Amino acid sequence: MPDNKLHIRLMGSDFELIGTEQRLEQGVTEIKRIEALLTEFNDTSVTAQLNANAGLQPVTVPAEVYQLIQRCLRLSAITQGAFDISSGLLKRLFNFKQHNFQWPQSSAIADALQKTGYRYITLLDNNRILLEQKGMRIGFGAIGKGYAADKVKALWIAAGASSGVINASGDLTAWGSEPWKVGIANPDDPEKILMWLPVYNASVATSGNYEQYIERNGIRYSHNIDPRTGKPVPYIKSVTVISPSAELSDALATAVTVMGPSVGLDFINQLPDVHCIIIDSKNKIFQSEKIQIHAKG
């Protein structure tokens, strides 16, 4: 049975799935299920229930969400807080999509920082989770698409798929007997490919400032917020991470954006089977030690 392509908007992102028709339907059903679990925009989601009970009482969550948050906290610890799902209040303050966006007062940032921090997320027994600070908000925007891609991949492989591609707005996982060519967008002209990577049974995620950003005093700030300072990240145009899982690539692309080139590359070089490309505001390209880049001729 030949592979088909499906484009669909889910989880606030454009998903592209390549597989047989039956698997495409299975993939869409799975992504919709995960969206219902994790979305911040539905009062019945697990995320909404955790946020509503912040500072009040623990919430019993499905085992998969408990395990996802457990992995998120581990990522927060190893990135020294550069990745943090508890930065929901800060993201609200810096919503660049807002009409007539105004840079928030330092007092508002300081107040949000009081309610931000992965250390305020407590894992209890029997799949219970407590957000310790009243008013704090968690969100899975920096890891949810990758998690969904990995879940669809696992379903397809269990059903016998020997190859496939799941692409969530640039967060891509691909597998098969031959490497896939994955293009890295030019941050100054995202329709053009700056370079391409041969990706063999791996996942790629890019975090860039060319879609959501704001200029202030001649400096471009990305939509990525440093959870430790409460400020948007400047001077980085894009970060691409290649790793064995879409979830990991998704989270690390955000973390390395916050860390910056020097600290970020040092961190990536210590991780097995993880690679990285950073493009800074002056279009300088930094790459991790073991990556294979093919400039497009």
Side-chain angles (χ1 to χ4, degrees):
M1 196 182 294
D3 281 354
N4 297 305
K5 273 189 187 182
L6 173 69
H7 293 266
I8 188 167
R9 191 156 181 85
L10 296 165
M11 301 179 77
S13 299
D14 294 317
F15 273 80
E16 179 185 36
L17 291 84
I18 301 176
T20 62
E21 194 169 335
Q22 182 183 355
R23 291 203 181 104
L24 295 180
E25 289 176 17
Q26 183 188 38
V28 169
T29 300
E30 179 68 354
I31 296 164
K32 284 180 175 175
R33 184 188 72 80
I34 293 164
E35 181 174 27
L37 272 183
L38 301 183
T39 181
E40 295 167 59
F41 309 108
N42 183 332
D43 291 344
T44 60
S45 73
V46 175
T47 306
Q49 290 169 35
L50 284 164
N51 289 337
N53 286 282
L56 300 173
Q57 61 187 358
V59 175
T60 302
V61 303
E64 70 174 298
V65 177
Y66 187 92
Q67 289 157 14
L68 174 61
I69 291 176
Q70 200 169 37
R71 294 193 299 277
C72 286
L73 296 184
R74 206 172 297 138
L75 281 166
S76 295
I78 66 169
T79 61
Q80 298 180 317
F83 172 85
D84 194 333
I85 60 169
S86 76
S87 53
L89 288 178
L90 292 167
K91 286 178 178 170
R92 275 187 168 186
L93 286 180
F94 289 97
N95 182 2
F96 298 160
K97 290 180 179 175
Q98 227 168 16
H99 185 58
N100 293 332
F101 168 78
Q102 296 287 318
W103 197 270
Q105 298 286 328
S106 54
S107 57
I109 296 171
D111 183 58
L113 278 171
Q114 293 285 318
K115 298 164 187 167
T116 301
Y118 68 95
R119 293 177 183 85
Y120 297 137
I121 302 171
T122 303
L123 301 174
L124 302 168
D125 57 359
N126 299 319
N127 292 339
R128 291 178 307 138
I129 291 176
L130 174 66
L131 307 185
E132 293 178 12
Q133 298 292 324
K134 198 164 186 180
M136 75 182 285
R137 295 185 69 84
I138 64 165
F140 296 94
I143 200 169
K145 290 183 298 177
Y147 175 65
D150 282 342
K151 292 289 280 185
V152 172
K153 177 185 175 182
L155 277 180
W156 285 4
I157 288 174
S162 56
S163 67
V165 175
I166 301 137
N167 183 4
S169 290
D171 294 357
L172 179 142
T173 189
W175 71 101
S177 56
E178 299 292 328
W180 296 83
K181 275 187 187 178
V182 176
I184 306 298
N186 182 336
D188 296 329
D189 187 356
E191 296 300 310
K192 292 183 179 172
I193 299 299
L194 188 67
M195 63 191 81
W196 61 267
L197 297 166
V199 173
Y200 182 71
N201 294 338
S203 301
V204 181
T206 297
S207 180
N209 76 354
Y210 44 85
E211 288 178 349
Q212 290 183 53
Y213 63 88
I214 192 165
E215 301 266 356
R216 187 175 190 243
N217 300 330
I219 298 170
R220 180 185 284 196
Y221 292 88
S222 86
H223 68 285
N224 288 301
I225 312 293
D226 186 336
R228 304 162 302 185
T229 65
K231 306 274 179 67
V233 178
Y235 308 124
I236 301 286
K237 285 189 177 178
S238 78
V239 171
T240 299
V241 172
I242 304 98
S243 86
S245 92
E247 177 188 303
L248 185 61
S249 293
D250 200 0
L252 290 183
T254 300
V256 171
T257 300
V258 170
M259 289 171 159
S262 177
V263 175
L265 285 180
D266 184 56
F267 169 68
I268 292 293
N269 285 332
Q270 296 176 56
L271 302 177
D273 302 318
V274 180
H275 311 284
C276 180
I277 301 161
I278 302 170
I279 304 172
D280 74 5
S281 58
K282 295 176 180 172
N283 287 335
K284 185 176 179 185
I285 297 174
F286 303 82
Q287 62 187 73
S288 55
E289 288 170 357
K290 295 174 185 171
I291 198 165
Q292 210 182 344
I293 297 181
H294 295 258
K296 192 180 180 197

